[in-house]
Amino acid sequence: MSPIQQIPWSGIIARSVAAVLAVAFSVGCVTPPPQVIRPLKRDLDAHVNTYLEQYMLWVEEDPTDPQRHATLGVVYEANELWSEARACFHIVVDLLPSEVLARYHEAVACQELGEVETAIELLQRITGDHPDFAPAHHRLGRLLLAAGDLDGAFSAFQRTVELAPDRVEGHLGLADVMLRRRNAGKAEVHARRALDLDRHQRMAWFLLGQSLRGRPGHEVEALRALRTGTGAAVTFLPDPWSAAWPIHAKGLADQMRLAHNLATAGRENEAVKVLEVALGQRPGNTDVLNNLAVILRRSGRPAPALAYLEQALAVKPESFATHINISACLLDLGRFDAALEAADRAILLFESNAQAHVTKARILLAQGHPDKAVVSALLATELASEDPLVHLTLADVQFQLRRFEDSLLACNVSLDLASLEIEPLLCKSRALIALGRPREAAAVLKEARAIQPGDVRLHELEQRLASIEGLR
Amino acid sequence: MSRLRSLWFVVFAVVTVAGCGGSGDVVSLTQTPWFEELAFSSGLDFVHVATLEEHFWIPEINVGGVGLIDFDNDDDLDIYFIQGGDLARPGFPGPGNRLFMNDGEGAFEDVTERSGVGDTGYGNGCAVGDYDRDGFVDLYVTNLGANVLFHNNGDGTISEMTATAGVGHEGWGTSATFLDINNDGWLDLYVANYIHWSPDREIECFTGARREYCAPSSYKAPAPDVLYLNLGDGTFQDVSNSSGISQFFGNGLGVVAADFNGDGSADIFVSNDRMKNQLWINDGLGRFEDQALLAGCALNQQGIAEAGMGVAPADIDHDGDLELFLCHMAEETNTLYENLGDWFEDISARAGLGMPSLRFTAWGPAFADFDHDGHEDLYITHGRVISGPPSQGSVDPYAEINQLFAGGHEGRFSEVLPRGGTSKPLVHTSRAVAVGDLTGDGALDLVVANRNGKPYLLKNRVGQQGHWLMIRPVDADGVDLWGAMVGVEGPQGWQWRLANPGHGYCASNDPRVHFGLGDAESARVIVKPLGGAQRDFGVLPANSVHRLVVTNEATR
């Protein structure tokens, strides 16, 4: 059983309270200590249950300790058991009314339970009592915005910016308020401030796009910003307790997400460990097996990836995802014929899925058949016209066919769809170099450098460009 | 706020009574509940069937469509219920859709057998329109599998014309609507499709480790919509590619066809589930361009794709163009987009429709002036997609109570209590809702399809509070002028309505356009047909249905 992970706590006050309560209870002059909050649902994942059990037992050992109730509350939160979480935090607030994090997380739980009016009330009290607690101001701002109270939201976001000027959240909130007030100019200012802090902040791009549309001469920029901003997510200012959520999230979906986030951050080995634990808990789960394989393959380990996929195939022989992943692994291993066979099997299972055709195109390209690859790549773009990777594949194929203008076209489509990524820019610069347009290529490479200066492919293209210019 | 997930999550909502309705106002209990539920006593003995939770197959969670159709041309509305079935059986044959004939006063008789419209596919929605201009409205049914076209023979029977007409698309059809994309007078057909799905492509999803239905985004398999051009000879041509609408698509659930930009051509709005919505702007020559992103109705204000379900149009601000109301899931507000001409703006919070919707999963919206005060009201059906604790006495873990909002000045809405507008709370897993006058008294009633259960027939009990007017614009041959805008100068100034019954969620509504007039006993009426000059019909008396013939060279 994993060790109990306690949430950050000052300790002194809590221990004092616990001591006083223990004494008072022992002389019978106060009500019994708080009960341990148990899950309402009976059909939870066994692993989630087991994890919760250890914390419940820990709370039972000393139910007068508010830190224990708070930690249990965070564990419930992490597993999206919001009713239970709220009950835990309510206990902590009763025991320790001055603990702002408990009050804040009680409000968070209310919000998640749909009791938004209550959440707003709680947050208003918190911000009144703790005017320097930025997360409460920000969350309050978000809720007031949804409630239509623009003035209240504005004040809350303004205070957020004052307290956390280097975080995007406050600036995003102000941009949102300005748009709703139909003040596009000020919305643009705040959106750009957010982008200065984090160029990859999709919501900032989206808000920027809305602030620019309708302004003569800015239509193209507006559309590009809106496209870049598609797929945004609302984020809240972190606090010490919410930072603990990933540690305590034990449901399968949470494990998968954690692994994905770790892999995206370049921590593939840790990601693999998380999924291996998940697999141990759920033997034969094909989703876990496939995700393990994907992470291994992307970190340059197609052979062990294939081993996991073969396990998945034994469980579900007709799984589209498994066949596609097998195909990709075999491609990496240079076993092109087998890879093509797997891709064809995937296509038979799910003809209208673009990914299957993209995989086939890449295999045919690797085999030196770009003329056949282009058929698959074009079909993929029809099936998934808004997927930037699909257009990148087509661009690669067209490039191999020496159709550089067509390749450039495909790169531009990909870039329109994914302007925050480096791949479309590299694609475009390669095509421009091939078309004998070095100056334009250099400008594009400059943009790419701003995104990922250490990229090896970028360096290679820059060298190629330099040698071309040297020859000139 | 919970992290974005690919799974749907329900908000465990403790539904409290008045005071928890959100930032909007709350209308206190009126003496008369707005509706009375009369399905059983009216003869509607339909029960929807959807096998549940055995396999957690996603089609089970979406089904439940209904259409209002004047099948026998006697100027009253008959009801067509879309049936589900058993996905485990090959071909998914179900008990079959049912048609109930109206006697003119709201009593219904099952005429399915003698009419022949009892399609046994795993049904979702329907579209109603006279595609061959013979004076009898026809019926198109969307299925998981091949869709079906029933030609109304005019004698109480139908002929199944799917193959002949060339409209039997095999996919997962959801909402559909007839529309005229080239103003030639022949009704074309738009069909929204959801995802590519079959039982062997099903995946397992969990929330907190309890098995649940998956979100559509989990499948990564959006299905393209289909646009059929009516060739005027009983056949259609699939113009999805040539028209441009196949270029972008999502998990389509709702569709509305109307002239959103005032250029005289029918545009198409499609709401997609967890993907960008599309606003297909018609260039007048049958080609469409998706302008939703720039127009501000593709995503929510923050750039997030929401779970777009049903969609309904309404002129909330009385300026002659159409706003759009989209239903979304719990944890997302429903969205009311104000049409500003060049783009749309989210005014949900200002309208009082944002916060009250947060805890519910909404499907079918229906705008109508139920109390005849000159403001459109709004009824919304609800039902979870992720199980939760039973709600208000129901044993169904997906059941939720519906909501009714009274429209007021400056586009603000107030929730009517008791919730749902009936004296006794009705709690089921509701899906489609169709609005129309079922009893011939001029007041708009509602028919609600409940998944895996009996429907509601909600008889309007507050319509007598004011006068009303109903308009049916037709062309010189008596065929409905779908796409026309009808304006009436009422107590709140000019009110405008769209003449097209295809909107909501998997529903078809009363084809007549209805207005509440308050105390006014007459009103001036204008009809603006698509692509044609507007026609002023002068002042018409209230409390009557007017069939207005609009002759317009541009429409033929």
Side-chain angles (χ1 to χ4, degrees):
Chain A
M1 191 172 285
S2 54
I4 299 290
Q5 308 240 23
Q6 301 182 32
I7 49 166
W9 194 264
S10 68
I12 299 171
I13 296 175
R15 282 195 285 272
S16 306
V17 168
V20 166
L21 282 173
V23 169
F25 180 61
S26 71
V27 301
C29 58
V30 292
T31 52
Q35 296 290 315
V36 177
I37 301 301
R38 302 201 161 273
L40 293 171
K41 286 186 180 175
R42 289 188 193 159
D43 52 354
L44 291 179
D45 180 299
H47 312 289
V48 173
N49 244 345
T50 304
Y51 193 75
L52 286 170
E53 264 307 318
Q54 60 176 321
Y55 282 90
M56 287 189 282
L57 282 170
W58 181 57
V59 173
E60 258 172 14
E61 287 167 13
D62 185 1
T64 63
D65 182 353
Q67 186 187 20
R68 296 186 186 223
H69 288 282
T71 304
L72 179 59
V74 169
V75 173
Y76 277 128
E77 272 186 321
N79 291 285
E80 305 218 22
L81 298 166
W82 296 104
S83 262
E84 296 86 338
R86 179 176 59 177
C88 286
F89 296 127
H90 196 72
I91 289 172
V92 180
V93 170
D94 273 348
L95 291 173
L96 215 53
S98 60
E99 175 49 68
V100 64
L101 285 169
R103 295 174 67 186
Y104 176 67
H105 279 261
E106 186 181 12
V108 171
C110 284
Q111 178 191 343
E112 292 293 335
L113 289 168
E115 295 172 28
V116 180
E117 301 82 9
T118 307
I120 288 175
E121 252 179 65
L122 290 173
L123 288 166
Q124 282 170 331
R125 277 189 235 145
I126 292 168
T127 53
D129 296 339
H130 301 272
D132 293 344
F133 186 59
H137 288 281
H138 177 249
R139 190 173 286 268
L140 176 62
R142 278 275 145 224
L143 294 183
L144 290 174
L145 199 59
D149 179 355
L150 294 184
D151 292 339
F154 179 80
S155 301
F157 289 133
Q158 223 176 13
R159 187 65 184 143
T160 305
V161 169
E162 285 165 15
L163 293 168
D166 296 332
R167 298 276 318 191
V168 295
E169 287 84 354
H171 298 286
L172 292 175
L174 287 173
D176 206 337
V177 169
M178 288 304 150
L179 278 173
R180 289 169 204 252
R181 282 182 174 170
R182 295 189 181 169
N183 190 332
K186 285 198 175 157
E188 181 190 352
V189 167
H190 290 295
R192 288 198 189 278
R193 276 200 198 133
L195 285 171
D196 286 340
L197 290 168
D198 180 2
R199 197 183 172 282
H200 290 265
Q201 178 54 243
R202 288 192 186 277
M203 191 183 299
W205 282 107
F206 199 78
L207 293 168
L208 177 65
Q210 288 178 87
S211 70
L212 293 174
R213 79 178 161 195
R215 208 185 295 180
H218 286 84
E219 295 84 1
V220 171
E221 191 186 355
L223 193 54
R224 190 150 184 220
L226 288 168
R227 281 201 182 124
T228 304
T230 300
V234 173
T235 56
F236 289 88
L237 281 180
D239 64 272
W241 289 8
S242 64
W245 284 347
I247 303 166
H248 296 295
K250 296 300 170 193
L252 179 58
D254 297 300
Q255 290 171 304
M256 305 265 259
R257 186 182 317 104
L258 176 61
H260 170 78
N261 291 342
L262 286 167
T264 306
R267 294 155 65 181
E268 289 93 352
N269 289 338
E270 290 171 70
V272 167
K273 281 197 183 121
V274 167
L275 289 181
E276 280 173 346
V277 166
L279 189 62
Q281 292 167 346
R282 301 166 188 84
N285 184 299
T286 55
D287 287 338
V288 178
L289 287 164
N290 270 283
N291 274 275
L292 256 170
V294 166
I295 292 172
L296 283 166
R297 193 198 133 236
R298 285 188 185 159
S299 60
R301 291 173 275 179
L306 201 54
Y308 281 120
L309 291 169
E310 275 155 13
Q311 286 183 48
L313 206 59
V315 173
K316 259 195 207 169
E318 299 298 300
S319 161
F320 168 79
T322 305
H323 284 287
I324 276 294
N325 287 328
I326 285 176
S327 179
C329 282
L330 291 168
L331 174 61
D332 289 352
L333 290 166
R335 291 163 58 184
F336 300 140
D337 289 341
L340 197 57
E341 225 178 281
D344 281 335
R345 266 200 301 277
I347 289 171
L348 268 176
L349 287 168
F350 200 167
E351 200 183 346
S352 49
N353 188 296
Q355 201 185 350
H357 298 280
V358 163
T359 306
K360 183 168 179 174
R362 294 221 164 262
I363 297 166
L364 289 166
L365 204 58
Q367 285 183 314
H369 300 306
D371 50 334
K372 291 182 187 169
V374 75
V375 174
S376 294
L378 282 167
L379 181 54
T381 59
E382 282 173 31
L383 294 170
S385 57
E386 293 192 277
D387 185 342
L389 293 175
V390 159
H391 293 280
L392 277 181
T393 301
L394 178 61
D396 286 345
V397 173
Q398 299 285 31
F399 193 88
Q400 290 302 319
L401 288 168
R402 303 188 65 79
R403 296 178 192 164
F404 301 128
E405 283 288 357
D406 290 334
S407 179
L408 180 63
L409 204 66
C411 296
N412 278 333
V413 173
S414 182
L415 187 57
D416 266 345
L417 295 167
S419 58
L420 292 179
E421 309 300 326
I422 195 173
E423 281 80 6
L425 289 166
L426 296 176
C427 173
K428 183 171 178 174
S429 67
R430 182 186 61 173
L432 286 167
I433 291 171
L435 285 166
R437 290 150 68 173
R439 270 202 207 146
E440 290 172 71
V444 171
L445 285 174
K446 193 175 169 190
E447 267 188 76
R449 177 160 277 282
I451 294 175
Q452 227 167 285
D455 192 287
V456 166
R457 299 162 295 175
L458 167 66
H459 184 62
E460 284 169 6
L461 282 168
E462 284 174 333
Q463 281 194 315
R464 198 188 311 171
L465 194 59
S467 68
I468 290 172
E469 302 214 291
L471 285 173
R472 286 172 184 266
Chain B
M1 184 65 184
S2 66
R3 300 140 281 174
L4 260 192
R5 291 176 176 247
S6 61
L7 304 175
W8 287 327
F9 289 104
V10 72
V11 171
F12 176 5
V14 175
V15 180
T16 55
V17 193
C20 295
S23 65
D25 301 326
V26 170
V27 173
S28 51
L29 180 64
T30 59
Q31 298 218 335
T32 309
W34 286 42
F35 297 103
E36 183 184 355
E37 204 291 296
L38 296 174
F40 180 72
S41 57
S42 303
L44 297 176
D45 63 345
F46 174 80
V47 179
H48 183 266
V49 170
T51 49
L52 294 179
E53 290 190 328
E54 205 180 312
H55 304 282
F56 286 92
W57 285 335
I58 186 175
E60 297 163 355
I61 204 72
N62 287 358
V63 283
V66 64
L68 301 181
I69 173 172
D70 183 4
F71 189 70
D72 51 356
N73 249 12
D74 61 352
D75 290 331
D76 60 40
L77 291 172
D78 312 307
I79 305 175
Y80 189 72
F81 288 107
I82 311 289
Q83 183 56 280
D86 185 352
L87 289 169
R89 292 167 63 198
F92 326 133
N97 304 337
R98 303 262 291 280
L99 176 66
F100 290 84
M101 193 76 70
N102 192 338
D103 72 353
E105 291 175 357
F108 293 86
E109 178 198 355
D110 189 343
V111 298
T112 310
E113 297 306 318
R114 70 170 189 255
S115 65
V117 291
D119 181 61
T120 57
Y122 197 90
N124 290 290
C126 63
V128 172
D130 182 6
Y131 80 91
D132 61 343
R133 299 179 61 84
D134 66 355
F136 295 95
V137 285
D138 311 298
L139 181 62
Y140 185 79
V141 180
T142 60
N143 288 319
L144 174 65
N147 299 333
V148 173
L149 176 66
F150 290 124
H151 173 263
N152 187 340
N153 298 328
D155 59 2
T157 67
I158 55 95
S159 299
E160 202 255 281
M161 300 297 284
T162 317
T164 307
V167 293
H169 179 76
E170 290 212 33
W172 184 344
T174 54
S175 293
T177 186
F178 283 102
L179 71 162
D180 188 353
I181 65 169
N182 52 2
N183 292 343
D184 66 354
W186 295 93
L187 286 179
D188 311 301
L189 176 63
Y190 190 96
V191 183
N193 285 306
Y194 196 48
I195 63 173
H196 292 289
W197 183 88
S198 57
D200 56 1
R201 284 185 198 155
E202 190 53 86
I203 51 184
E204 289 182 357
C205 294
F206 299 86
T207 176
R210 183 187 149 82
R211 178 87 190 266
E212 294 285 0
Y213 289 96
C214 294
S217 47
S218 303
Y219 301 87
K220 296 185 176 55
D225 300 338
V226 182
L227 177 61
Y228 292 109
L229 177 71
N230 191 330
L231 298 179
D233 59 359
T235 69
F236 291 78
Q237 179 189 355
D238 183 342
V239 294
S240 310
N241 287 338
S242 58
S243 68
I245 67 118
S246 62
Q247 203 187 0
F248 304 114
F249 48 89
N251 309 318
L253 281 180
V255 62
V256 169
D259 181 8
F260 289 107
N261 60 353
D263 67 352
S265 302
D267 311 307
I268 305 164
F269 179 85
V270 183
S271 63
N272 291 312
D273 193 353
R274 290 254 172 265
M275 295 185 73
K276 286 191 299 191
N277 305 317
Q278 272 94 41
L279 177 64
W280 293 110
I281 296 297
N282 188 341
D283 69 355
L285 301 172
R287 275 209 55 94
F288 292 83
E289 182 191 346
D290 180 12
Q291 296 183 7
L293 196 57
L294 208 50
C297 54
L299 304 162
N300 76 359
Q301 175 91 353
Q302 288 92 33
I304 300 169
E306 295 182 305
M309 321 289 226
V311 56
D315 181 15
I316 300 301
D317 52 5
H318 298 225
D319 65 353
D321 58 28
L322 289 169
E323 280 60 60
L324 283 167
F325 181 81
L326 270 70
C327 287
H328 294 128
M329 269 192 71
E331 289 191 44
E332 299 169 343
T333 62
N334 295 331
T335 305
L336 178 61
Y337 286 110
E338 181 183 3
N339 188 338
L340 297 177
D342 292 325
W343 59 74
F344 290 84
E345 184 181 273
D346 180 351
I347 59 166
S348 315
R350 205 165 83 212
L353 292 172
M355 296 278 273
S357 64
L358 265 179
R359 65 189 70 186
F360 298 109
T361 297
W363 292 85
F367 280 108
D369 186 354
F370 295 114
D371 57 352
H372 294 163
D373 66 350
H375 295 292
E376 293 229 76
D377 312 304
L378 175 62
Y379 186 86
I380 308 171
T381 61
H382 297 139
R384 297 172 181 152
V385 294
I386 292 182
S387 61
S391 174
Q392 291 184 269
S394 169
V395 298
D396 179 353
Y398 298 94
E400 288 186 315
I401 193 167
N402 300 333
Q403 280 179 306
L404 170 67
F405 292 87
H409 291 286
E410 294 180 350
R412 273 205 68 88
F413 289 81
S414 314
E415 188 171 1
V416 175
L417 296 179
R419 185 159 274 163
T422 51
S423 54
K424 189 180 133 194
L426 300 174
V427 187
H428 288 84
T429 308
S430 297
R431 292 290 182 259
V433 59
V435 57
D437 177 10
L438 294 167
T439 56
D441 64 355
L444 292 180
D445 313 298
L446 294 163
V447 181
V448 176
N450 293 313
R451 195 198 65 165
N452 224 38
K454 297 177 186 175
Y456 304 149
L457 190 162
L458 300 179
K459 174 81 192 77
N460 185 327
R461 290 298 183 209
V462 294
Q464 69 273 22
Q465 293 173 8
H467 298 295
W468 55 273
L469 192 63
M470 286 175 77
I471 307 292
R472 188 163 188 168
V474 297
D475 66 14
D477 297 329
V479 177
D480 288 303
L481 270 179
W482 279 175
M485 288 291 284
V486 181
V488 151
E489 196 169 19
Q492 313 298 339
W494 279 96
Q495 307 175 50
W496 293 89
R497 306 275 190 270
L498 171 69
N500 186 324
H503 50 80
Y505 173 76
C506 292
S508 189
N509 303 275
D510 193 329
R512 301 164 296 188
V513 176
H514 170 278
F515 298 87
L517 300 181
D519 294 330
E521 294 179 352
S522 61
R524 184 172 158 217
V525 178
I526 285 178
V527 177
K528 285 189 204 171
L530 271 179
Q534 74 180 37
R535 169 86 189 274
D536 188 339
F537 287 87
V539 175
L540 299 177
N543 304 331
S544 45
V545 181
H546 300 271
R547 196 179 190 95
L548 301 179
V549 178
V550 181
T551 51
N552 187 334
E553 292 308 305
T555 64
R556 294 300 306 275

